[in-house]
Amino acid sequence: MSTAAPVLPVTFADVADAATTLAGVAHRTPVLTSRTLDGLVGGRVFCKCESFQRTGAFKFRGGYNSVSRLTGEQRRQGVLTYSSGNHAQAIALASALTGAHAIIVMPSDAPRTKRSATAAYLECAAEGESGPSRVVEYDRATQVREQVGGELAERFGMTIIPPYDHPHVVAGQGTAGLELFEEAGQLDRLYVCVGGGGLLSGCSLAAAELSPACEVVGVEPATADDAKRSFETGTIQRVHEPQTIADGARTPSIGEIPFAIIKRHVADMLAVSDAELAAAMRLCYERLRIVIEPTGALALAGAIKDARERPDLVRDRRIGVVISGGNVDLPRLGEFFALASEPLV
């Protein structure tokens, strides 16, 4: 009887192939360091700043890698996705760059900055059988986005590219980790935010190939801890409309494709409170001088939480942190910072 591990739905070879596709299109984002951050964590910290990516988040990587691989006919028929913001922007811009028609299903309460940016990108995308490329809103309280999107896609023969449960999306997101290891070298521990799991699973593939001893850690909001519970039980758990300032992590569950990879390559999963998240976010503004959204601070909040509660895991070690995005809703910035009980430094 064979004991060989099952073949994963995405491999490092797919990540490397995505890097070739994205070369010259996606930004190679900076890796920032800070002596203040090193002192706070107790190790050498390398922050991969996807807040400097096109559309302001890592999502452009997976979005472009997916849309660019569609046939000409598929692009003419149209691309459809559903997202609260960052994946929406990614698919909208990728569609504009590749001449595809697109419909983006977004919640009516999506952050204003993400909604307006998505609409602006779609102005440059192609028209299709359904009319101009556009945003279609839905009500989180009464509608299910997958159902709204599925009905539109069936009606107009469009290709659905979901936010995370898609092999080309996972492979594209993994290029952020690939670049981090190429620049920073071997790491002992890598912290990555997790909502649907696309970024975490993709980065874990890069870690397994380029820094095999690195422990990959997923970080999510405490009120949306479905990925942590899934990791601990070995089966996918769900959560319904969790209340958290990390809007990018308000996913109903982790994706099946990412979860298969996470079970193989992720070492640990953490949950942080909104207060811990806000404190990490404030640190980025005050000391790293970078614009960051709440979801973008999840990984850093996880590293700081470990430094306080499990210091042996990070002390004197080389630590990677993926800053996943910077699309903050500026009118709410004071509200976010107010959640932090006190500055970290």
Side-chain angles (χ1 to χ4, degrees), residues 29 45-51 58 61 173 176-178 180-181 187 189-193 199-200 203 217 292 295-301 303 319-325:
T29 54
V45 183
F46 301 86
C47 295
K48 177 64 170 173
C49 296
E50 285 297 286
S51 48
F58 74 93
R61 296 175 181 273
Q173 318 306 28
L178 181 153
L180 174 58
F181 287 111
L187 297 174
R189 200 162 170 88
L190 172 63
Y191 292 84
V192 185
C193 71
L199 180 64
L200 176 60
C203 287
V217 183
I292 183 172
T295 309
L298 277 168
L300 180 58
I319 308 298
V321 170
V322 179
I323 303 294
S324 61

PDB file of all heavy atoms in Angstrom, residues 29 45-51 58 61 173 176-178 180-181 187 189-193 199-200 203 217 292 295-301 303 319-325:
ATOM      1  N   THR A  29       7.951  44.476  -5.235  1.00  0.00           N
ATOM      2  CA  THR A  29       7.771  45.374  -4.090  1.00  0.00           C
ATOM      3  C   THR A  29       8.967  45.332  -3.142  1.00  0.00           C
ATOM      4  O   THR A  29       9.680  44.333  -3.060  1.00  0.00           O
ATOM      5  CB  THR A  29       6.488  45.008  -3.334  1.00  0.00           C
ATOM      6  OG1 THR A  29       6.513  43.622  -2.992  1.00  0.00           O
ATOM      7  CG2 THR A  29       5.258  45.289  -4.192  1.00  0.00           C
ATOM      8  N   VAL A  45      13.772  41.360  11.352  1.00  0.00           N
ATOM      9  CA  VAL A  45      12.480  41.302  10.676  1.00  0.00           C
ATOM     10  C   VAL A  45      12.574  41.891   9.262  1.00  0.00           C
ATOM     11  O   VAL A  45      13.122  42.987   9.076  1.00  0.00           O
ATOM     12  CB  VAL A  45      11.402  42.054  11.478  1.00  0.00           C
ATOM     13  CG1 VAL A  45      10.043  41.928  10.788  1.00  0.00           C
ATOM     14  CG2 VAL A  45      11.335  41.517  12.906  1.00  0.00           C
ATOM     15  N   PHE A  46      12.029  41.166   8.300  1.00  0.00           N
ATOM     16  CA  PHE A  46      12.006  41.595   6.906  1.00  0.00           C
ATOM     17  C   PHE A  46      10.543  41.710   6.460  1.00  0.00           C
ATOM     18  O   PHE A  46       9.830  40.708   6.420  1.00  0.00           O
ATOM     19  CB  PHE A  46      12.750  40.601   6.020  1.00  0.00           C
ATOM     20  CG  PHE A  46      14.188  40.401   6.404  1.00  0.00           C
ATOM     21  CD1 PHE A  46      14.543  39.463   7.374  1.00  0.00           C
ATOM     22  CD2 PHE A  46      15.194  41.151   5.807  1.00  0.00           C
ATOM     23  CE1 PHE A  46      15.873  39.281   7.737  1.00  0.00           C
ATOM     24  CE2 PHE A  46      16.525  40.976   6.164  1.00  0.00           C
ATOM     25  CZ  PHE A  46      16.866  40.041   7.137  1.00  0.00           C
ATOM     26  N   CYS A  47      10.120  42.928   6.125  1.00  0.00           N
ATOM     27  CA  CYS A  47       8.723  43.174   5.749  1.00  0.00           C
ATOM     28  C   CYS A  47       8.589  43.292   4.240  1.00  0.00           C
ATOM     29  O   CYS A  47       9.144  44.220   3.623  1.00  0.00           O
ATOM     30  CB  CYS A  47       8.217  44.449   6.400  1.00  0.00           C
ATOM     31  SG  CYS A  47       8.114  44.393   8.195  1.00  0.00           S
ATOM     32  N   LYS A  48       7.871  42.363   3.644  1.00  0.00           N
ATOM     33  CA  LYS A  48       7.583  42.403   2.205  1.00  0.00           C
ATOM     34  C   LYS A  48       6.351  43.284   2.011  1.00  0.00           C
ATOM     35  O   LYS A  48       5.243  42.907   2.398  1.00  0.00           O
ATOM     36  CB  LYS A  48       7.330  40.984   1.693  1.00  0.00           C
ATOM     37  CG  LYS A  48       6.950  40.890   0.210  1.00  0.00           C
ATOM     38  CD  LYS A  48       8.061  41.347  -0.705  1.00  0.00           C
ATOM     39  CE  LYS A  48       7.747  40.997  -2.166  1.00  0.00           C
ATOM     40  NZ  LYS A  48       8.728  41.580  -3.098  1.00  0.00           N
ATOM     41  N   CYS A  49       6.539  44.462   1.426  1.00  0.00           N
ATOM     42  CA  CYS A  49       5.497  45.497   1.428  1.00  0.00           C
ATOM     43  C   CYS A  49       4.650  45.467   0.157  1.00  0.00           C
ATOM     44  O   CYS A  49       4.885  46.231  -0.797  1.00  0.00           O
ATOM     45  CB  CYS A  49       6.131  46.857   1.636  1.00  0.00           C
ATOM     46  SG  CYS A  49       6.927  47.023   3.243  1.00  0.00           S
ATOM     47  N   GLU A  50       3.633  44.617   0.180  1.00  0.00           N
ATOM     48  CA  GLU A  50       2.717  44.528  -0.961  1.00  0.00           C
ATOM     49  C   GLU A  50       1.756  45.719  -1.034  1.00  0.00           C
ATOM     50  O   GLU A  50       0.977  45.843  -1.972  1.00  0.00           O
ATOM     51  CB  GLU A  50       1.942  43.223  -0.902  1.00  0.00           C
ATOM     52  CG  GLU A  50       2.760  42.010  -1.293  1.00  0.00           C
ATOM     53  CD  GLU A  50       3.231  42.094  -2.749  1.00  0.00           C
ATOM     54  OE1 GLU A  50       2.401  41.911  -3.659  1.00  0.00           O
ATOM     55  OE2 GLU A  50       4.433  42.367  -2.962  1.00  0.00           O
ATOM     56  N   SER A  51       1.834  46.605  -0.056  1.00  0.00           N
ATOM     57  CA  SER A  51       1.090  47.865  -0.129  1.00  0.00           C
ATOM     58  C   SER A  51       1.598  48.728  -1.282  1.00  0.00           C
ATOM     59  O   SER A  51       0.896  49.648  -1.729  1.00  0.00           O
ATOM     60  CB  SER A  51       1.224  48.629   1.192  1.00  0.00           C
ATOM     61  OG  SER A  51       2.570  48.690   1.609  1.00  0.00           O
ATOM     62  N   PHE A  58      -1.377  42.704  -2.704  1.00  0.00           N
ATOM     63  CA  PHE A  58      -0.828  41.508  -3.346  1.00  0.00           C
ATOM     64  C   PHE A  58      -1.778  40.890  -4.365  1.00  0.00           C
ATOM     65  O   PHE A  58      -1.369  40.132  -5.237  1.00  0.00           O
ATOM     66  CB  PHE A  58      -0.488  40.463  -2.288  1.00  0.00           C
ATOM     67  CG  PHE A  58      -1.695  39.779  -1.684  1.00  0.00           C
ATOM     68  CD1 PHE A  58      -2.168  38.586  -2.198  1.00  0.00           C
ATOM     69  CD2 PHE A  58      -2.370  40.343  -0.610  1.00  0.00           C
ATOM     70  CE1 PHE A  58      -3.289  37.962  -1.651  1.00  0.00           C
ATOM     71  CE2 PHE A  58      -3.474  39.731  -0.051  1.00  0.00           C
ATOM     72  CZ  PHE A  58      -3.945  38.541  -0.582  1.00  0.00           C
ATOM     73  N   ARG A  61      -1.237  40.186  -8.189  1.00  0.00           N
ATOM     74  CA  ARG A  61      -0.426  39.070  -8.674  1.00  0.00           C
ATOM     75  C   ARG A  61      -1.314  37.921  -9.168  1.00  0.00           C
ATOM     76  O   ARG A  61      -1.179  37.448 -10.297  1.00  0.00           O
ATOM     77  CB  ARG A  61       0.500  38.580  -7.561  1.00  0.00           C
ATOM     78  CG  ARG A  61       1.525  39.607  -7.096  1.00  0.00           C
ATOM     79  CD  ARG A  61       2.325  39.089  -5.900  1.00  0.00           C
ATOM     80  NE  ARG A  61       3.291  40.049  -5.408  1.00  0.00           N
ATOM     81  CZ  ARG A  61       4.549  40.182  -5.873  1.00  0.00           C
ATOM     82  NH1 ARG A  61       4.965  39.388  -6.845  1.00  0.00           N
ATOM     83  NH2 ARG A  61       5.363  41.071  -5.358  1.00  0.00           N
ATOM     84  N   GLN A 173      -0.186  34.625  -6.179  1.00  0.00           N
ATOM     85  CA  GLN A 173       0.083  35.185  -4.845  1.00  0.00           C
ATOM     86  C   GLN A 173       1.402  34.664  -4.285  1.00  0.00           C
ATOM     87  O   GLN A 173       2.098  35.375  -3.550  1.00  0.00           O
ATOM     88  CB  GLN A 173      -1.049  34.841  -3.858  1.00  0.00           C
ATOM     89  CG  GLN A 173      -2.469  34.946  -4.333  1.00  0.00           C
ATOM     90  CD  GLN A 173      -2.897  36.267  -4.951  1.00  0.00           C
ATOM     91  OE1 GLN A 173      -2.081  36.979  -5.514  1.00  0.00           O
ATOM     92  NE2 GLN A 173      -4.173  36.565  -4.865  1.00  0.00           N
ATOM     93  N   ALA A 176       4.857  36.648  -4.254  1.00  0.00           N
ATOM     94  CA  ALA A 176       5.273  37.590  -3.205  1.00  0.00           C
ATOM     95  C   ALA A 176       6.280  36.909  -2.281  1.00  0.00           C
ATOM     96  O   ALA A 176       7.304  37.494  -1.906  1.00  0.00           O
ATOM     97  CB  ALA A 176       4.061  38.074  -2.413  1.00  0.00           C
ATOM     98  N   GLY A 177       5.997  35.665  -1.893  1.00  0.00           N
ATOM     99  CA  GLY A 177       6.926  34.918  -1.060  1.00  0.00           C
ATOM    100  C   GLY A 177       8.210  34.601  -1.789  1.00  0.00           C
ATOM    101  O   GLY A 177       9.314  34.688  -1.217  1.00  0.00           O
ATOM    102  N   LEU A 178       8.100  34.232  -3.058  1.00  0.00           N
ATOM    103  CA  LEU A 178       9.287  33.935  -3.859  1.00  0.00           C
ATOM    104  C   LEU A 178      10.238  35.124  -3.864  1.00  0.00           C
ATOM    105  O   LEU A 178      11.449  34.984  -3.629  1.00  0.00           O
ATOM    106  CB  LEU A 178       8.848  33.578  -5.282  1.00  0.00           C
ATOM    107  CG  LEU A 178       9.923  33.200  -6.304  1.00  0.00           C
ATOM    108  CD1 LEU A 178       9.339  32.268  -7.367  1.00  0.00           C
ATOM    109  CD2 LEU A 178      10.492  34.435  -6.998  1.00  0.00           C
ATOM    110  N   LEU A 180      10.402  37.595  -1.710  1.00  0.00           N
ATOM    111  CA  LEU A 180      10.919  37.840  -0.366  1.00  0.00           C
ATOM    112  C   LEU A 180      12.124  36.952  -0.086  1.00  0.00           C
ATOM    113  O   LEU A 180      13.161  37.424   0.416  1.00  0.00           O
ATOM    114  CB  LEU A 180       9.831  37.600   0.669  1.00  0.00           C
ATOM    115  CG  LEU A 180      10.255  37.669   2.143  1.00  0.00           C
ATOM    116  CD1 LEU A 180      10.872  39.020   2.476  1.00  0.00           C
ATOM    117  CD2 LEU A 180       9.067  37.378   3.053  1.00  0.00           C
ATOM    118  N   PHE A 181      12.030  35.672  -0.396  1.00  0.00           N
ATOM    119  CA  PHE A 181      13.147  34.763  -0.156  1.00  0.00           C
ATOM    120  C   PHE A 181      14.328  35.085  -1.064  1.00  0.00           C
ATOM    121  O   PHE A 181      15.487  34.973  -0.646  1.00  0.00           O
ATOM    122  CB  PHE A 181      12.709  33.312  -0.344  1.00  0.00           C
ATOM    123  CG  PHE A 181      11.840  32.807   0.759  1.00  0.00           C
ATOM    124  CD1 PHE A 181      10.497  32.528   0.542  1.00  0.00           C
ATOM    125  CD2 PHE A 181      12.346  32.620   2.039  1.00  0.00           C
ATOM    126  CE1 PHE A 181       9.681  32.072   1.565  1.00  0.00           C
ATOM    127  CE2 PHE A 181      11.536  32.169   3.073  1.00  0.00           C
ATOM    128  CZ  PHE A 181      10.200  31.899   2.837  1.00  0.00           C
ATOM    129  N   LEU A 187      14.908  32.258   5.853  1.00  0.00           N
ATOM    130  CA  LEU A 187      14.179  32.788   7.007  1.00  0.00           C
ATOM    131  C   LEU A 187      13.856  31.645   7.956  1.00  0.00           C
ATOM    132  O   LEU A 187      13.722  30.493   7.542  1.00  0.00           O
ATOM    133  CB  LEU A 187      12.885  33.467   6.558  1.00  0.00           C
ATOM    134  CG  LEU A 187      13.024  34.701   5.654  1.00  0.00           C
ATOM    135  CD1 LEU A 187      11.649  35.166   5.177  1.00  0.00           C
ATOM    136  CD2 LEU A 187      13.742  35.828   6.374  1.00  0.00           C
ATOM    137  N   ARG A 189      11.144  32.002  10.213  1.00  0.00           N
ATOM    138  CA  ARG A 189       9.704  32.035  10.449  1.00  0.00           C
ATOM    139  C   ARG A 189       9.092  33.103   9.539  1.00  0.00           C
ATOM    140  O   ARG A 189       9.628  34.206   9.432  1.00  0.00           O
ATOM    141  CB  ARG A 189       9.431  32.337  11.927  1.00  0.00           C
ATOM    142  CG  ARG A 189       8.050  31.939  12.446  1.00  0.00           C
ATOM    143  CD  ARG A 189       8.090  31.877  13.975  1.00  0.00           C
ATOM    144  NE  ARG A 189       6.774  31.741  14.590  1.00  0.00           N
ATOM    145  CZ  ARG A 189       6.165  30.561  14.819  1.00  0.00           C
ATOM    146  NH1 ARG A 189       6.764  29.435  14.469  1.00  0.00           N
ATOM    147  NH2 ARG A 189       4.978  30.522  15.409  1.00  0.00           N
ATOM    148  N   LEU A 190       7.984  32.772   8.890  1.00  0.00           N
ATOM    149  CA  LEU A 190       7.318  33.691   7.968  1.00  0.00           C
ATOM    150  C   LEU A 190       5.861  33.839   8.366  1.00  0.00           C
ATOM    151  O   LEU A 190       5.124  32.851   8.439  1.00  0.00           O
ATOM    152  CB  LEU A 190       7.411  33.171   6.529  1.00  0.00           C
ATOM    153  CG  LEU A 190       6.595  33.936   5.475  1.00  0.00           C
ATOM    154  CD1 LEU A 190       7.100  35.379   5.349  1.00  0.00           C
ATOM    155  CD2 LEU A 190       6.653  33.227   4.123  1.00  0.00           C
ATOM    156  N   TYR A 191       5.424  35.089   8.604  1.00  0.00           N
ATOM    157  CA  TYR A 191       4.048  35.390   8.995  1.00  0.00           C
ATOM    158  C   TYR A 191       3.297  35.956   7.791  1.00  0.00           C
ATOM    159  O   TYR A 191       3.774  36.890   7.131  1.00  0.00           O
ATOM    160  CB  TYR A 191       4.022  36.403  10.137  1.00  0.00           C
ATOM    161  CG  TYR A 191       4.560  35.853  11.441  1.00  0.00           C
ATOM    162  CD1 TYR A 191       5.930  35.842  11.699  1.00  0.00           C
ATOM    163  CD2 TYR A 191       3.704  35.339  12.413  1.00  0.00           C
ATOM    164  CE1 TYR A 191       6.435  35.329  12.888  1.00  0.00           C
ATOM    165  CE2 TYR A 191       4.195  34.823  13.608  1.00  0.00           C
ATOM    166  CZ  TYR A 191       5.561  34.824  13.834  1.00  0.00           C
ATOM    167  OH  TYR A 191       6.056  34.308  15.012  1.00  0.00           O
ATOM    168  N   VAL A 192       2.110  35.387   7.544  1.00  0.00           N
ATOM    169  CA  VAL A 192       1.297  35.776   6.387  1.00  0.00           C
ATOM    170  C   VAL A 192      -0.157  35.865   6.827  1.00  0.00           C
ATOM    171  O   VAL A 192      -0.644  34.982   7.549  1.00  0.00           O
ATOM    172  CB  VAL A 192       1.427  34.748   5.239  1.00  0.00           C
ATOM    173  CG1 VAL A 192       0.679  35.241   3.999  1.00  0.00           C
ATOM    174  CG2 VAL A 192       2.884  34.461   4.906  1.00  0.00           C
ATOM    175  N   CYS A 193      -0.873  36.908   6.371  1.00  0.00           N
ATOM    176  CA  CYS A 193      -2.292  37.007   6.710  1.00  0.00           C
ATOM    177  C   CYS A 193      -3.067  35.894   6.008  1.00  0.00           C
ATOM    178  O   CYS A 193      -2.638  35.363   4.982  1.00  0.00           O
ATOM    179  CB  CYS A 193      -2.850  38.374   6.304  1.00  0.00           C
ATOM    180  SG  CYS A 193      -3.014  38.618   4.529  1.00  0.00           S
ATOM    181  N   LEU A 199      -2.905  33.733  -0.434  1.00  0.00           N
ATOM    182  CA  LEU A 199      -1.561  34.248  -0.188  1.00  0.00           C
ATOM    183  C   LEU A 199      -0.774  33.309   0.712  1.00  0.00           C
ATOM    184  O   LEU A 199       0.392  33.012   0.444  1.00  0.00           O
ATOM    185  CB  LEU A 199      -1.650  35.638   0.441  1.00  0.00           C
ATOM    186  CG  LEU A 199      -0.323  36.311   0.768  1.00  0.00           C
ATOM    187  CD1 LEU A 199       0.478  36.592  -0.496  1.00  0.00           C
ATOM    188  CD2 LEU A 199      -0.554  37.622   1.545  1.00  0.00           C
ATOM    189  N   LEU A 200      -1.391  32.830   1.775  1.00  0.00           N
ATOM    190  CA  LEU A 200      -0.698  31.938   2.709  1.00  0.00           C
ATOM    191  C   LEU A 200      -0.254  30.659   2.020  1.00  0.00           C
ATOM    192  O   LEU A 200       0.898  30.225   2.169  1.00  0.00           O
ATOM    193  CB  LEU A 200      -1.611  31.613   3.891  1.00  0.00           C
ATOM    194  CG  LEU A 200      -1.068  30.619   4.920  1.00  0.00           C
ATOM    195  CD1 LEU A 200       0.212  31.121   5.554  1.00  0.00           C
ATOM    196  CD2 LEU A 200      -2.117  30.322   5.987  1.00  0.00           C
ATOM    197  N   CYS A 203       2.595  31.436  -0.573  1.00  0.00           N
ATOM    198  CA  CYS A 203       3.870  31.731   0.088  1.00  0.00           C
ATOM    199  C   CYS A 203       4.465  30.493   0.748  1.00  0.00           C
ATOM    200  O   CYS A 203       5.690  30.345   0.823  1.00  0.00           O
ATOM    201  CB  CYS A 203       3.683  32.840   1.113  1.00  0.00           C
ATOM    202  SG  CYS A 203       3.446  34.485   0.398  1.00  0.00           S
ATOM    203  N   VAL A 217       3.535  30.742   9.147  1.00  0.00           N
ATOM    204  CA  VAL A 217       2.466  30.968  10.123  1.00  0.00           C
ATOM    205  C   VAL A 217       1.376  31.829   9.494  1.00  0.00           C
ATOM    206  O   VAL A 217       1.652  32.910   8.964  1.00  0.00           O
ATOM    207  CB  VAL A 217       3.010  31.684  11.382  1.00  0.00           C
ATOM    208  CG1 VAL A 217       1.908  31.845  12.426  1.00  0.00           C
ATOM    209  CG2 VAL A 217       4.206  30.934  11.949  1.00  0.00           C
ATOM    210  N   ILE A 292      -0.921  51.508   5.336  1.00  0.00           N
ATOM    211  CA  ILE A 292      -1.304  50.100   5.438  1.00  0.00           C
ATOM    212  C   ILE A 292      -2.762  50.011   5.865  1.00  0.00           C
ATOM    213  O   ILE A 292      -3.253  50.846   6.626  1.00  0.00           O
ATOM    214  CB  ILE A 292      -0.378  49.376   6.448  1.00  0.00           C
ATOM    215  CG1 ILE A 292      -0.676  47.887   6.536  1.00  0.00           C
ATOM    216  CG2 ILE A 292      -0.429  50.032   7.809  1.00  0.00           C
ATOM    217  CD1 ILE A 292       0.343  47.128   7.384  1.00  0.00           C
ATOM    218  N   THR A 295      -6.237  44.790   7.245  1.00  0.00           N
ATOM    219  CA  THR A 295      -5.883  43.421   6.854  1.00  0.00           C
ATOM    220  C   THR A 295      -4.387  43.300   6.599  1.00  0.00           C
ATOM    221  O   THR A 295      -3.771  42.273   6.884  1.00  0.00           O
ATOM    222  CB  THR A 295      -6.669  42.987   5.616  1.00  0.00           C
ATOM    223  OG1 THR A 295      -8.059  43.232   5.828  1.00  0.00           O
ATOM    224  CG2 THR A 295      -6.462  41.511   5.311  1.00  0.00           C
ATOM    225  N   GLY A 296      -3.802  44.366   6.048  1.00  0.00           N
ATOM    226  CA  GLY A 296      -2.375  44.352   5.743  1.00  0.00           C
ATOM    227  C   GLY A 296      -1.492  44.225   6.956  1.00  0.00           C
ATOM    228  O   GLY A 296      -0.319  43.857   6.847  1.00  0.00           O
ATOM    229  N   ALA A 297      -2.031  44.542   8.144  1.00  0.00           N
ATOM    230  CA  ALA A 297      -1.242  44.490   9.375  1.00  0.00           C
ATOM    231  C   ALA A 297      -1.360  43.164  10.100  1.00  0.00           C
ATOM    232  O   ALA A 297      -0.721  42.969  11.146  1.00  0.00           O
ATOM    233  CB  ALA A 297      -1.666  45.628  10.306  1.00  0.00           C
ATOM    234  N   LEU A 298      -2.158  42.240   9.602  1.00  0.00           N
ATOM    235  CA  LEU A 298      -2.379  40.983  10.319  1.00  0.00           C
ATOM    236  C   LEU A 298      -1.090  40.218  10.593  1.00  0.00           C
ATOM    237  O   LEU A 298      -0.849  39.756  11.719  1.00  0.00           O
ATOM    238  CB  LEU A 298      -3.340  40.089   9.527  1.00  0.00           C
ATOM    239  CG  LEU A 298      -4.834  40.358   9.702  1.00  0.00           C
ATOM    240  CD1 LEU A 298      -5.641  39.595   8.650  1.00  0.00           C
ATOM    241  CD2 LEU A 298      -5.294  39.976  11.106  1.00  0.00           C
ATOM    242  N   ALA A 299      -0.263  40.061   9.586  1.00  0.00           N
ATOM    243  CA  ALA A 299       0.962  39.268   9.757  1.00  0.00           C
ATOM    244  C   ALA A 299       1.889  39.902  10.785  1.00  0.00           C
ATOM    245  O   ALA A 299       2.466  39.214  11.639  1.00  0.00           O
ATOM    246  CB  ALA A 299       1.673  39.104   8.420  1.00  0.00           C
ATOM    247  N   LEU A 300       2.027  41.223  10.711  1.00  0.00           N
ATOM    248  CA  LEU A 300       2.879  41.909  11.682  1.00  0.00           C
ATOM    249  C   LEU A 300       2.312  41.767  13.089  1.00  0.00           C
ATOM    250  O   LEU A 300       3.057  41.545  14.056  1.00  0.00           O
ATOM    251  CB  LEU A 300       3.015  43.385  11.311  1.00  0.00           C
ATOM    252  CG  LEU A 300       3.884  44.225  12.239  1.00  0.00           C
ATOM    253  CD1 LEU A 300       5.293  43.653  12.332  1.00  0.00           C
ATOM    254  CD2 LEU A 300       3.915  45.677  11.768  1.00  0.00           C
ATOM    255  N   ALA A 301       0.995  41.880  13.228  1.00  0.00           N
ATOM    256  CA  ALA A 301       0.369  41.701  14.537  1.00  0.00           C
ATOM    257  C   ALA A 301       0.643  40.305  15.080  1.00  0.00           C
ATOM    258  O   ALA A 301       0.853  40.127  16.294  1.00  0.00           O
ATOM    259  CB  ALA A 301      -1.136  41.939  14.436  1.00  0.00           C
ATOM    260  N   ALA A 303       3.339  38.422  14.416  1.00  0.00           N
ATOM    261  CA  ALA A 303       4.743  38.354  14.841  1.00  0.00           C
ATOM    262  C   ALA A 303       4.935  39.030  16.196  1.00  0.00           C
ATOM    263  O   ALA A 303       5.660  38.528  17.064  1.00  0.00           O
ATOM    264  CB  ALA A 303       5.631  39.007  13.783  1.00  0.00           C
ATOM    265  N   ILE A 319      12.996  36.753  10.676  1.00  0.00           N
ATOM    266  CA  ILE A 319      11.540  36.717  10.598  1.00  0.00           C
ATOM    267  C   ILE A 319      11.041  37.441   9.348  1.00  0.00           C
ATOM    268  O   ILE A 319      11.392  38.605   9.112  1.00  0.00           O
ATOM    269  CB  ILE A 319      10.906  37.376  11.843  1.00  0.00           C
ATOM    270  CG1 ILE A 319      11.476  36.774  13.132  1.00  0.00           C
ATOM    271  CG2 ILE A 319       9.386  37.279  11.780  1.00  0.00           C
ATOM    272  CD1 ILE A 319      11.214  35.301  13.299  1.00  0.00           C
ATOM    273  N   GLY A 320      10.209  36.785   8.572  1.00  0.00           N
ATOM    274  CA  GLY A 320       9.570  37.415   7.421  1.00  0.00           C
ATOM    275  C   GLY A 320       8.140  37.799   7.761  1.00  0.00           C
ATOM    276  O   GLY A 320       7.446  37.066   8.473  1.00  0.00           O
ATOM    277  N   VAL A 321       7.709  38.951   7.259  1.00  0.00           N
ATOM    278  CA  VAL A 321       6.341  39.434   7.463  1.00  0.00           C
ATOM    279  C   VAL A 321       5.827  39.971   6.129  1.00  0.00           C
ATOM    280  O   VAL A 321       6.475  40.826   5.516  1.00  0.00           O
ATOM    281  CB  VAL A 321       6.294  40.558   8.522  1.00  0.00           C
ATOM    282  CG1 VAL A 321       4.917  41.219   8.548  1.00  0.00           C
ATOM    283  CG2 VAL A 321       6.656  40.026   9.897  1.00  0.00           C
ATOM    284  N   VAL A 322       4.691  39.467   5.683  1.00  0.00           N
ATOM    285  CA  VAL A 322       4.092  39.983   4.454  1.00  0.00           C
ATOM    286  C   VAL A 322       3.064  41.049   4.809  1.00  0.00           C
ATOM    287  O   VAL A 322       2.031  40.751   5.421  1.00  0.00           O
ATOM    288  CB  VAL A 322       3.437  38.865   3.624  1.00  0.00           C
ATOM    289  CG1 VAL A 322       2.809  39.455   2.356  1.00  0.00           C
ATOM    290  CG2 VAL A 322       4.465  37.799   3.247  1.00  0.00           C
ATOM    291  N   ILE A 323       3.369  42.294   4.448  1.00  0.00           N
ATOM    292  CA  ILE A 323       2.422  43.409   4.583  1.00  0.00           C
ATOM    293  C   ILE A 323       1.547  43.357   3.339  1.00  0.00           C
ATOM    294  O   ILE A 323       1.973  43.727   2.258  1.00  0.00           O
ATOM    295  CB  ILE A 323       3.160  44.759   4.680  1.00  0.00           C
ATOM    296  CG1 ILE A 323       4.148  44.761   5.841  1.00  0.00           C
ATOM    297  CG2 ILE A 323       2.156  45.899   4.775  1.00  0.00           C
ATOM    298  CD1 ILE A 323       3.539  44.686   7.199  1.00  0.00           C
ATOM    299  N   SER A 324       0.309  42.883   3.493  1.00  0.00           N
ATOM    300  CA  SER A 324      -0.445  42.451   2.311  1.00  0.00           C
ATOM    301  C   SER A 324      -1.115  43.553   1.512  1.00  0.00           C
ATOM    302  O   SER A 324      -1.415  43.359   0.334  1.00  0.00           O
ATOM    303  CB  SER A 324      -1.497  41.412   2.723  1.00  0.00           C
ATOM    304  OG  SER A 324      -2.404  41.973   3.645  1.00  0.00           O
ATOM    305  N   GLY A 325      -1.382  44.732   2.123  1.00  0.00           N
ATOM    306  CA  GLY A 325      -2.053  45.766   1.345  1.00  0.00           C
ATOM    307  C   GLY A 325      -2.132  47.097   2.054  1.00  0.00           C
ATOM    308  O   GLY A 325      -1.973  47.195   3.273  1.00  0.00           O
TER     309      GLY A 325
END
